[in-house]
Amino acid sequence: MKRFLFPLASALRIRKMQAEVEEMKLFRLTAELGDCQKQLNEIGIAARERPEALSNFGYITGPELVEIDSRSAFLKKEKIRILAREAELLHRITAAKGLIREATQRVELLETLQTKARKEWQITADKELQTLAEESHNSLQRRLSADDSKGTEVPLPSSREGIPRNYKPRFGRCPNSDTPSGNNGHR
């Protein structure tokens, strides 16, 4: 009997690796998205920080006002850049999820084929074992019937050999006793 070999085992292994690669890409993209959100939070904090500090003094000088304006413009540009990156990442995450879904379906398809092939192999192997068992049984029956027709019997032990005194059969009754074996008449 042959052992089970799935002809598409290498394809299944490759598909599983592809699915894992797509999952790693998705993980990396979600980490980048988290970084973008963290940067947006930092920009929001920085935008509020400087004007509040200046307003505590009660007056603002010309250079400080220019610094506030330039810093505010820089933060707005940075926020726009990060929001664009965040939108791009969201789009790429959506695409990556679709790729993962497709890769998973391809893996599941091959696993289903493997399961069907294993069941078919098992059925064939069971039939082969059944045939071997039947052939063995028939061969034994023919040999026993041939021995019976020749008048030969299975040799019994000679009277000298006998049954050892300490022999206790595991099942049934003792040969020279009415009590079941193993309990010596006690229940």
Side-chain angles (χ1 to χ4, degrees):
M1 176 173 36
K2 297 187 299 184
R3 66 185 184 101
F4 176 73
L5 291 174
F6 183 55
L8 299 173
S10 59
L12 177 60
R13 189 174 54 253
I14 290 169
R15 295 277 169 91
K16 283 182 178 180
M17 285 190 292
Q18 288 172 342
E20 289 174 4
V21 167
E22 294 301 328
E23 287 175 357
M24 285 188 284
K25 287 179 183 177
L26 177 65
F27 181 76
R28 185 180 51 80
L29 290 172
T30 54
E32 285 183 43
L33 181 64
D35 288 343
C36 284
Q37 291 170 346
K38 183 179 174 184
Q39 288 174 354
L40 285 173
N41 288 338
E42 289 172 358
I43 288 174
I45 291 170
R48 288 186 303 269
E49 209 171 71
R50 183 71 177 159
E52 287 175 2
L54 292 174
S55 65
N56 289 337
F57 295 117
Y59 63 92
I60 299 175
T61 64
E64 290 174 338
L65 191 56
V66 170
E67 180 188 343
I68 291 173
D69 286 341
S70 64
R71 183 174 171 85
S72 177
F74 170 76
L75 291 176
K76 283 180 185 178
K77 286 179 184 177
E78 194 65 19
K79 184 176 182 179
I80 291 170
R81 184 188 65 80
I82 293 172
L83 287 173
R85 175 72 177 148
E86 185 178 39
E88 176 195 350
L89 286 173
L90 287 172
H91 178 71
R92 289 176 60 191
I93 286 173
T94 304
K97 286 180 180 179
L99 290 174
I100 289 173
R101 191 172 26 260
E102 290 174 10
T104 303
Q105 288 173 347
R106 282 183 264 154
V107 168
E108 288 172 353
L109 172 67
L110 287 176
E111 287 175 341
T112 302
L113 290 174
Q114 182 181 25
T115 302
K116 285 182 180 180
R118 184 177 294 278
K119 284 180 182 178
E120 290 173 6
W121 172 84
Q122 188 65 47
I123 289 169
T124 305
D126 290 346
K127 286 180 182 178
E128 188 176 326
L129 284 174
Q130 180 68 27
T131 303
L132 286 172
E134 289 173 359
E135 289 174 0
S136 176
H137 177 72
N138 291 339
S139 173
L140 181 63
Q141 289 295 338
R142 282 193 300 269
R143 198 171 69 213
L144 288 176
S145 65
D147 288 346
D148 287 345
S149 65
K150 292 180 185 176
T152 59
E153 294 182 17
V154 177
L156 295 174
S158 66
S159 60
R160 274 194 236 159
E161 292 175 17
I163 298 174
R165 289 183 186 256
N166 60 356
Y167 173 76
K168 292 183 182 178
R170 294 185 184 188
F171 304 104
R173 303 214 174 257
C174 293
N176 297 327
S177 172
D178 289 337
T179 61
S181 64
N183 62 11
N184 297 328
H186 300 291
R187 293 204 181 241

